[in-house]
Amino acid sequence: MSLFNVFDISGSALSAQTIRLNTVASNLANAEVVSGSPEDTYKAKAPVFQTLFNDAINKDGASGVEVLEILESSAAPRQQYQPEHPLADDNGNVWLPNVNAIGEMANMISASRSYQSNIEVMNTSKQLLLRTLSLGQ
Amino acid sequence: MVINLDNAFGIHTRALSLYSQRTAVLAANLANADTPNYKAQDIDFKGILTRLSSGGNESSQMAATQAGHFGMKTITSRAAERLYRQPHQPSLDGNTVDVQAEQAAFTDNALRYMTTLRFVSGKVQGLMTALRGE
């Protein structure tokens, strides 16, 4: 019964989008964390999605999605001259994370929309199943 | 007169099964809307239904031209019937899912499922009326 597989497929997408939202939350929360060296600075994180080729799901021809890994951005951290800062190095510089707040907000909206559309898919499938169960009544 | 329940519902049972398979394929497209290099898929609904209603079963059979040939009934043709969509506007990351088009196709598919369900339901009610004889 393929309609039950929809819950596996859309459920995997909900889980993946939640991880994406979590990375956005982490990036925004750490956007202003100051550190004394470029190496110690927080780096923006982003999940990499991959199609889930699970045998149990794939036998019906449709596959879900999973998070393959969470990558850290390789962009250079922001450097700020603040000699009075307690963490400043010998040259008076502190470093801020390479988080792009506008990009993160756009990412958040995209993740939220994808989450919603998968919820809609599950709701519709639930209605179809319930209608099928009450067949002939 | 013997009522053959297998034939009572006609093409509708096969159509229902196909619609539910298509629901899963479209759900997979929407689930992978943000997956790099994922290619949107759909099934050749008309082709499969035509083959199913012309007496064929769901598995494709190989022609047995010699006495020693096996039937190979286990090869299901479902996977082969899944085709890739022609993308209108592919993304730079190789993804060809058009979320709006997929949502429209999903809603369309769900409505068709419910319509077919209504036909089957009507058949059941008709049979029940005949059985009760009230």
Side-chain angles (χ1 to χ4, degrees):
Chain A
M1 190 69 192
S2 307
L3 277 175
F4 285 109
N5 287 343
V6 171
F7 293 103
D8 292 337
I9 295 164
S10 296
S12 71
L14 293 188
S15 148
Q17 298 295 346
T18 309
I19 293 175
R20 187 172 166 204
L21 272 177
N22 269 332
T23 59
V24 171
S26 163
N27 291 345
L28 286 175
N30 287 286
E32 302 296 331
V33 174
V34 176
S35 76
S37 72
E39 294 79 31
D40 297 337
T41 315
Y42 175 88
K43 292 177 183 64
K45 294 170 180 23
V48 179
F49 289 172
Q50 185 191 40
T51 308
L52 184 64
F53 288 112
N54 185 337
D55 285 338
I57 295 175
N58 205 34
K59 70 174 188 301
D60 238 357
S63 6
V65 61
E66 66 177 344
V67 173
L68 178 64
E69 56 184 331
I70 292 178
L71 293 180
E72 289 193 331
S73 165
S74 55
R78 284 179 289 149
Q79 184 182 342
Q80 253 179 22
Y81 182 65
Q82 279 188 353
E84 76 286 356
H85 199 285
L87 287 174
D89 65 0
D90 296 341
N91 298 321
N93 289 322
V94 291
W95 277 269
L96 288 158
N98 53 2
V99 175
N100 175 1
I102 297 167
E104 295 297 334
M105 292 302 281
N107 205 359
M108 183 189 76
I109 293 167
S110 168
S112 149
R113 290 277 180 268
S114 296
Y115 195 93
Q116 281 173 8
S117 77
N118 280 292
I119 290 275
E120 285 298 322
V121 166
M122 285 172 106
N123 257 333
T124 308
S125 304
K126 189 183 114 189
Q127 278 171 11
L128 291 183
L129 276 170
L130 287 176
R131 293 272 177 98
T132 314
L133 281 174
S134 61
L135 180 68
Q137 284 175 6
Chain B
M1 188 187 82
V2 179
I3 298 174
N4 188 347
L5 277 178
D6 283 342
N7 295 332
F9 302 117
I11 201 171
H12 297 305
T13 49
R14 300 186 184 102
L16 269 186
S17 153
L18 265 184
Y19 282 132
S20 67
Q21 274 178 48
R22 186 159 185 246
T23 309
V25 172
L26 295 176
N29 285 347
L30 281 167
N32 286 285
D34 298 316
T35 311
N37 293 318
Y38 180 85
K39 308 294 180 210
Q41 301 163 355
D42 204 344
I43 58 175
D44 175 19
F45 194 92
K46 194 178 174 187
I48 302 176
L49 199 61
T50 310
R51 212 187 55 241
L52 286 180
S53 54
S54 65
N57 55 15
E58 282 205 42
S59 55
S60 61
Q61 296 181 15
M62 299 176 84
T65 52
Q66 298 282 326
H69 282 172
F70 291 109
M72 299 291 282
K73 276 186 181 173
T74 50
I75 299 178
T76 57
S77 55
R78 285 187 209 160
E81 298 289 349
R82 276 193 298 144
L83 306 170
Y84 291 109
R85 272 203 208 292
Q86 291 287 341
H88 296 296
Q89 203 174 27
S91 312
L92 274 179
D93 64 359
N95 186 304
T96 63
V97 179
D98 182 346
V99 175
Q100 281 75 29
E102 297 297 336
Q103 274 173 340
F106 188 86
T107 311
D108 173 85
N109 187 61
L111 278 175
R112 283 170 194 276
Y113 184 95
M114 281 202 247
T115 311
T116 308
L117 209 56
R118 185 65 65 86
F119 279 116
V120 178
S121 207
K123 286 265 185 191
V124 171
Q125 276 166 3
L127 279 172
M128 294 302 278
T129 310
L131 286 172
R132 284 201 192 100
E134 289 164 354

